[in-house]
Amino acid sequence: MKRFVYINDESYQNDYCDNQISNTKYTLWNFLPKNLWEQFRRFMNQYFLLIACLQLWSLITPVNPASTWGPLIVIFAVSATKEAWDDYNRYISDKQANEKKVWIVKNGARKHIRAQDIRVGNIVWIRENEEVPCDLVLTGTSEPQGICHVETAALDGEIDLKTRVIPTTCIGLDSEQLHKIKGVIECPIPDKDIRRFDANIRLFPPFIDNDICPLTINNTLLQSCYLRNTEWACGVAVYTGNETKLGMSRGVPEPKLTAMDAMIDKLTGAIFLFQLAVVVVLGSAGNVWKDTEARKQWYVKYDDDEPWYQILVIPLRFELLCSIMIPISIKVSLDFVKSMYAKFIDWDEEIYDQETDTPAHAANTAISEDLGQVEYILTDKTGTLTENKMIFRRCCIAGTLYGNESGDALKDIELLNAVADNSPHVIKFLTVMALCNTVIPIKSPSGTISYKAQSQDEDALVNAASNLHVVLVSKNGNNAEIHFNRRVIQYEILDILEFTSDRKRMSIVISDSQSGKIFLLSKGADEAILPLAYCGQQIKTFVDAVDKYAQLGLRTLCLGWRELSLEEYLEWSRLFKEANSALVDREWKVAEVCQKLEHTLDILGISAIEDRLQDGVPETIEILRQSGINFWMLTGDKQSTAIQIALLCNLISSEPKGQLLYINGKTEDEVARSLERVLLTMRITSSEPKELAFVVDGWALEIILTRYKEAFTELAVLSKTAICCRVTPSQKAQLVKLLKSCDYRTLAIGDGGNDVRMIQQAHIGVGISGREGLQAARAADYSIGKFRFLKRLILVHGRYSYNRTAFLSQYSFYKSLLICFIQILFSFVSGIAGTSLFNSVSLMAYNVFYTSIPVLTTVLDKDLSEKTVTQNPEILLYCQAGRLLNPSTFAGWFGRSLYHVLTCLMRASFLG
């Protein structure tokens, strides 16, 4: 399916929606019925509504109906008010966005209108620092190179600026032509994928001929982005209102059910069944007593000809009396205290990151007690355990290792001399470092150059090349300029072969402006680049360098290039353009075409970048492991680097205390044998004190999850620690799902967009507000500034929230059952007739008073001292106790309190 957008043509604009944004859940007219429907979908609410309706039958009700209707209305009103307030805030936010003034082109002139009046096909003008009101295809900018810079933090959480370029068919159009431009854009139907936009544009004469020009996401300005460092930009509205990519991705996440909630639901069901049994027994006994004994009493008068439903009166009376077994206020009480748990996390100064001015935040207020029951933590590596502050440390160029002596290649005299002597291999290596990236150079008024990069690796490489005198000065559109030894070298960027998680490499095709030669520059993972070396090149030195750097915990990238003939490039460029113009399977077709160019590379060398551990990571992992929590590291990095980082952060232990088991293989048979061997070792040594862990890479994991899922599930149950290398975002989510299927409580923590699926899949998602942006933090249930804060989040807030919820839940059922049993005992001395011991006023006071006591006790209990954890190791084990508190703990204070209060209530009832 696709849509056709006619540019600046009002006759075709009525087929699509306007740009009015609506994120509200209710309207003024449907709020009451819709909210009531949602509330009465819960079994407990349906139950209490039934009880309240039965109390309206005067023949059977033993108490005033207000004793149930009053609390029921209050509870529903509180929930409805909260929903109404949240929806009203959404309405105010929508109204502000809809009434914002924007410029569009109408009848060849710019006109001011409200944002909600934008229609598909309108040409919209944006000024610097203004927000983009809808999804636009960029057609013009104030920059002569046809580029602009946008900030997408509100869309994807990434704080670095991104470059957007106008389509080649629009290059050269001046401001007057942009007011009168006509054409058609062929694009897919609205979707929520912010990474892809597979479309084509064709302008009508006299602007250009009818050639089709492909469009990608780099030719768009998406809603909620901000225009930066560009005076103005204009574009054609292709998606508006709730059909924008941001609008399509909005939505309420599925509610997560905590272990405590599941237990309460089961307990409620069990109590309900017990209640029915009590009602049947007492109701039957009451009818028998009435027919045998009550009719003999002179003060009781029964009609001889009773209606057929009279037999139901006494059972229904007992049903009403026993309805208090299930506490009517427990949901509101739990919602209130859970909101306070979340506030305790937000207010906690101990988990406030002063370095980045980032407080902790609880986005989900309903699952705090699950933090105290975590059994498996699945963590990303880069940016989560490490700082994600990349520093260029060492390199291997043409078989020569630099930086071994000093630990810093930038200070290696031998490398500096090679640069000064214009060593061809070194200059090529540094040129690839400077050009093969998506970095944007920013020149300040003082003349200094800084770089904006979407990847910290690229930022480290470009800065390292600059320190070695190969300076990327500018990158405007398709032109790039490098300064080297007072020489200015200009290149034309012909094509960019973008990085994907499947290809694991990035390449660009450039043309030297002086010589006219065409080159392919590539960088990527060693397993993606080294196999592409030209026949006869010796790569053993590079393989050894990769292993050596990985043993040091450094991140490695392989760099290569080759010269292209003009004929080869033109033929390939035609295929590349066709693939980029495809509206179906464009990504797959582009990858296939890229493989036809990326071959017989001249491998230039290996770069090694250091990513240091965050402060407190080893200590945090150590104490969490002592508490009985298992750790899995899921990373896209290579195996040796991941193992080294795992050793440094106490995730695994070295020999002889620990043992690492490897699951390797490229074929199904090899993987099966390796998996069986590891599984057998786990079974044999599981009873020994030795710490076992297994390592698996993404290739073997793909085979395992497809063919040997049951065996791997058994391995997951047996193992406490695992390292999964070279895994994709989807594989991370699959592993979380696998552990959830074993009924383990999982917590996933990460900092980047590639961790979002894992975070959303886990029972508890924790995002780190890191250098990769805020995507993970926004998708998570909890966000923190550093990994070390996870210790306090779990062992302090999780434990206290679990204790408090258990306390409140059991007390609610305890006091309800106690009151109910008093009613039942009273029935045996009142003729089993379903008579209430308490009057209506007492029951109303009971519902209000006994609800407020545990809530206030829970809220006022703020002793969140971390010393409680560090000085009492038994707390660590207690955090994993997946059960409610022992009822005997309530036999003390609450037992005595209930005894005295109930005595007063009973006296008041009899006196009344």
Side-chain angles (χ1 to χ4, degrees):
M1 296 291 293
K2 53 188 176 182
R3 68 164 48 176
F4 293 91
V5 177
Y6 290 88
I7 304 172
N8 207 14
D9 192 336
E10 295 184 2
S11 61
Y12 291 94
Q13 292 178 0
N14 294 323
D15 296 336
Y16 307 112
C17 69
D18 59 22
N19 197 43
Q20 184 171 2
I21 298 171
S22 178
N23 295 308
T24 56
K25 187 177 180 181
Y26 306 100
T27 66
L28 189 61
W29 308 110
N30 70 6
F31 172 76
L32 190 60
K34 190 174 182 179
N35 184 261
L36 288 176
W37 167 254
E38 290 183 354
Q39 294 204 53
F40 283 117
R41 290 173 65 182
R42 290 180 61 97
F43 166 74
M44 290 183 66
N45 291 343
Q46 295 173 8
Y47 171 78
F48 286 116
L49 179 64
L50 174 64
I51 297 300
C53 291
L54 286 175
Q55 287 187 347
L56 296 177
W57 189 4
S58 60
L59 182 62
I60 66 172
T61 180
V63 294
N64 193 314
S67 62
T68 299
W69 279 101
L72 189 67
I73 292 173
V74 170
I75 289 170
F76 286 167
V78 170
S79 298
T81 302
K82 180 178 179 295
E83 286 287 325
W85 178 253
D86 291 342
D87 211 50
Y88 176 74
N89 288 331
R90 287 191 288 266
Y91 166 76
I92 294 298
S93 177
D94 291 345
K95 184 178 180 181
Q96 292 175 350
N98 290 329
E99 296 184 353
K100 186 181 297 182
K101 297 296 183 179
V102 295
W103 292 97
I104 70 164
V105 173
K106 193 166 187 178
N107 299 324
R110 268 184 274 182
K111 181 182 178 182
H112 231 177
I113 65 169
R114 295 181 300 177
Q116 67 181 23
D117 296 327
I118 297 175
R119 306 288 295 188
V120 171
N122 285 153
I123 298 177
V124 182
W125 288 72
I126 311 294
R127 294 179 178 178
E128 185 176 4
N129 297 325
E130 285 186 349
E131 184 180 7
V132 180
C134 60
D135 289 352
L136 308 175
V137 168
L138 193 62
T139 56
T141 73
S142 59
E143 300 294 327
Q145 298 85 4
I147 66 170
C148 67
H149 305 301
V150 294
E151 179 186 293
T152 62
L155 185 67
D156 56 17
E158 297 180 2
I159 56 178
D160 293 313
L161 297 183
K162 295 181 176 62
T163 302
R164 295 293 183 255
V165 299
I166 66 175
T168 55
T169 190
C170 298
I171 294 177
L173 299 180
D174 57 29
S175 179
E176 183 179 351
Q177 290 175 310
L178 290 173
H179 283 77
K180 301 177 181 179
I181 190 173
K182 297 285 185 179
V184 62
I185 297 174
E186 183 183 10
C187 58
I189 60 174
D191 61 63
K192 60 182 179 181
D193 189 351
I194 64 173
R195 304 289 179 183
R196 295 183 59 185
F197 180 69
D198 301 337
N200 298 314
I201 184 173
R202 187 177 72 239
L203 298 185
F204 296 155
F207 300 98
I208 203 169
D209 57 21
N210 287 326
D211 282 350
I212 293 177
C213 176
L215 299 173
T216 68
I217 198 67
N218 292 326
N219 304 122
T220 64
L221 299 177
L222 299 184
Q223 184 188 38
S224 82
C225 297
Y226 284 84
L227 188 68
R228 304 294 191 199
N229 299 337
T230 309
E231 185 179 346
W232 60 264
C234 67
V236 180
V238 288
Y239 302 130
T240 52
N242 288 339
E243 292 185 344
T244 63
K245 290 186 177 292
L246 179 63
M248 297 290 287
S249 62
R250 288 191 188 101
V252 179
E254 295 184 4
K256 294 183 177 181
L257 183 67
T258 67
M260 190 74 73
D261 289 335
M263 185 176 294
I264 290 173
D265 287 346
K266 293 177 182 178
L267 187 59
T268 301
I271 292 177
F272 177 67
L273 294 177
F274 173 71
Q275 181 191 97
L276 290 180
V278 170
V279 168
V280 170
V281 172
L282 293 180
S284 301
N287 282 323
V288 171
W289 185 88
K290 182 184 73 171
D291 293 337
T292 57
E293 298 295 332
R295 294 181 185 274
K296 299 177 183 180
Q297 306 300 325
W298 61 270
Y299 53 84
V300 179
K301 182 179 180 181
Y302 289 99
D303 295 333
D304 294 331
D305 188 16
E306 293 180 342
W308 64 269
Y309 55 79
Q310 192 68 30
I311 195 173
L312 299 177
V313 171
I314 293 179
L316 289 176
R317 284 180 179 176
F318 277 109
E319 173 62 33
L320 295 178
L321 288 176
C322 293
S323 64
I324 203 170
M325 280 187 182
I326 301 177
I328 190 172
S329 60
I330 187 170
K331 181 180 181 299
V332 171
S333 301
L334 287 176
D335 288 346
F336 180 78
V337 297
K338 287 181 179 182
S339 299
M340 293 307 302
Y341 303 158
K343 288 300 180 183
F344 290 164
I345 293 174
D346 293 347
W347 295 337
D348 192 351
E349 295 181 357
E350 296 294 327
I351 50 179
Y352 170 76
D353 185 17
Q354 295 182 352
E355 181 183 347
T356 60
D357 191 27
T358 304
H361 176 61
N364 191 332
T365 62
I367 62 173
S368 296
E369 67 269 21
D370 258 7
L371 287 168
Q373 302 181 78
V374 173
E375 296 168 283
Y376 274 85
I377 293 178
L378 299 96
T379 175
D380 179 41
K381 181 181 74 69
T382 304
T384 303
L385 302 177
T386 61
E387 292 182 345
N388 201 18
K389 295 179 180 179
M390 307 300 180
I391 303 174
F392 185 85
R393 286 301 187 192
R394 306 188 184 194
C395 62
C396 173
I397 305 175
T400 303
L401 301 177
Y402 298 102
N404 290 341
E405 300 298 330
S406 62
D408 186 355
L410 300 180
K411 298 179 181 179
D412 193 318
I413 300 300
E414 189 177 352
L415 179 58
L416 294 174
N417 291 335
V419 174
D421 295 338
N422 290 336
S423 171
H425 289 288
V426 173
I427 301 307
K428 288 180 182 179
F429 184 85
L430 297 177
T431 301
V432 175
M433 284 174 55
L435 287 177
C436 189
N437 51 62
T438 58
V439 173
I440 303 171
I442 304 295
K443 182 176 289 188
S444 66
S446 62
T448 59
I449 298 175
S450 59
Y451 298 105
K452 289 287 187 179
Q454 300 178 34
S455 165
Q456 301 301 322
D457 295 88
E458 290 185 343
D459 182 68
L461 292 177
V462 174
N463 277 292
S466 177
N467 290 332
L468 293 172
H469 310 298
V470 179
V471 184
L472 177 62
V473 176
S474 66
K475 188 185 285 185
N476 298 322
N478 294 330
N479 298 312
E481 184 177 303
I482 285 179
H483 288 183
F484 172 64
N485 286 346
R486 298 183 180 179
R487 291 171 48 208
V488 177
I489 308 173
Q490 293 184 339
Y491 295 94
E492 181 184 359
I493 301 176
L494 302 177
D495 292 291
I496 298 178
L497 288 63
E498 296 181 351
F499 173 88
T500 66
S501 57
D502 295 325
R503 285 169 19 87
K504 297 181 179 179
R505 59 181 178 268
M506 172 195 177
S507 302
I508 66 169
V509 181
I510 62 171
S511 173
D512 191 322
S513 300
Q514 294 179 347
S515 64
K517 293 182 179 180
I518 301 175
F519 300 97
L520 172 71
L521 313 183
S522 298
K523 80 170 190 302
D526 54 285
E527 73 269 20
I529 296 294
L530 292 180
L532 304 179
Y534 68 83
C535 183
Q537 183 176 14
Q538 297 297 322
I539 62 172
K540 185 177 184 305
T541 306
F542 300 125
V543 174
D544 294 340
V546 168
D547 292 338
K548 179 178 180 179
Y549 294 149
Q551 291 296 328
L552 298 173
L554 303 177
R555 296 165 57 88
T556 59
L557 285 172
C558 294
L559 281 66
W561 86 346
R562 77 181 180 97
E563 184 177 348
L564 307 176
S565 65
L566 180 61
E567 294 77 12
E568 179 186 10
Y569 169 71
L570 291 177
E571 174 61 22
W572 176 85
S573 180
R574 181 183 61 81
L575 298 175
F576 190 61
K577 184 177 180 180
E578 291 177 358
N580 273 312
S581 301
L583 293 181
V584 180
D585 295 329
R586 177 182 290 188
E587 188 174 354
W588 178 82
K589 292 177 181 178
V590 168
E592 187 179 31
V593 173
C594 290
Q595 288 183 350
K596 297 181 178 180
L597 194 67
E598 296 170 324
H599 59 82
T600 61
L601 297 178
D602 179 9
I603 307 300
L604 300 173
I606 309 295
S607 67
I609 300 172
E610 180 187 23
D611 187 11
R612 289 177 293 188
L613 283 180
Q614 293 182 20
D615 293 336
V617 167
E619 296 80 6
T620 299
I621 292 179
E622 181 68 25
I623 194 170
L624 289 175
R625 290 183 67 194
Q626 289 178 11
S627 69
I629 299 176
N630 303 324
F631 266 88
W632 282 28
M633 179 196 288
L634 314 181
T635 177
D637 220 330
K638 62 178 61 62
Q639 189 177 96
S640 50
T641 303
I643 293 173
Q644 185 64 27
I645 295 297
L647 286 169
L648 292 174
C649 66
N650 291 333
L651 192 66
I652 59 176
S653 301
S654 56
E655 293 284 356
K657 184 180 179 181
Q659 182 179 355
L660 207 54
L661 307 174
Y662 295 84
I663 302 177
N664 296 319
K666 295 297 183 183
T667 65
E668 290 187 6
D669 292 338
E670 292 175 353
V671 172
R673 287 194 297 268
S674 180
L675 177 60
E676 184 61 32
R677 183 175 62 253
V678 170
L679 190 55
L680 182 61
T681 306
M682 282 282 187
R683 291 169 182 163
I684 295 173
T685 59
S686 59
S687 59
E688 298 180 5
K690 196 169 189 177
E691 296 181 7
L692 297 178
F694 72 87
V695 182
V696 61
D697 63 17
W699 182 270
L701 186 62
E702 185 67 28
I703 296 174
I704 289 171
L705 293 177
T706 305
R707 305 280 297 179
Y708 309 107
K709 193 171 183 178
E710 292 184 2
F712 189 73
T713 302
E714 182 183 353
L715 178 63
V717 173
L718 292 173
S719 63
K720 295 183 178 181
T721 308
I723 302 174
C724 303
C725 315
R726 299 295 194 190
V727 292
T728 63
S730 60
Q731 287 176 330
K732 291 182 179 183
Q734 285 178 285
L735 289 172
V736 175
K737 189 175 181 180
L738 183 140
L739 289 173
K740 287 175 64 178
S741 68
C742 302
D743 293 329
Y744 290 123
R745 282 283 146 179
T746 59
L747 181 148
I749 180 170
D751 73 315
N754 60 333
D755 302 317
V756 168
R757 294 179 65 179
M758 170 181 72
I759 287 172
Q760 292 177 332
Q761 184 68 47
H763 290 106
I764 305 169
V766 179
I768 293 182
S769 304
R771 295 171 64 86
E772 288 191 20
L774 303 174
Q775 283 178 281
R778 289 182 173 181
D781 302 303
Y782 301 92
S783 63
I784 54 180
K786 292 289 189 295
F787 181 86
R788 68 176 184 271
F789 298 144
L790 189 65
K791 176 179 67 174
R792 184 170 176 83
L793 189 66
I794 292 177
L795 300 184
V796 179
H797 288 282
R799 173 181 177 269
Y800 273 82
S801 298
Y802 177 67
N803 285 356
R804 291 161 172 165
T805 303
F807 175 81
L808 175 60
S809 302
Q810 185 165 355
Y811 170 68
S812 297
F813 284 106
Y814 176 79
K815 55 95 175 177
S816 297
L817 288 171
L818 186 59
I819 294 292
C820 186
F821 279 126
I822 293 175
Q823 293 274 27
I824 293 173
L825 291 174
F826 177 72
S827 68
F828 289 104
V829 297
S830 62
I832 320 181
T835 305
S836 175
L837 171 64
F838 306 111
N839 60 29
S840 301
V841 176
S842 300
L843 287 178
M844 288 283 288
Y846 152 81
N847 276 328
V848 175
F849 182 67
Y850 279 106
T851 298
S852 61
I853 286 179
V855 170
L856 291 175
T857 304
T858 303
V859 170
L860 295 176
D861 179 16
K862 292 184 178 180
D863 183 17
L864 294 177
S865 172
E866 191 167 357
K867 293 181 180 179
T868 309
V869 174
T870 57
Q871 296 178 1
N872 295 280
E874 67 274 7
I875 290 178
L876 305 180
L877 298 178
Y878 178 76
C879 287
Q880 307 309 314
R883 58 184 181 274
L884 290 176
L885 295 179
N886 192 319
S888 63
T889 59
F890 298 99
W893 184 81
F894 270 109
R896 291 191 296 271
S897 301
L898 282 171
Y899 173 78
H900 293 298
V901 174
L902 287 175
T903 301
C904 295
L905 289 177
M906 290 172 63
R907 290 175 178 173
S909 300
F910 285 122
L911 291 175

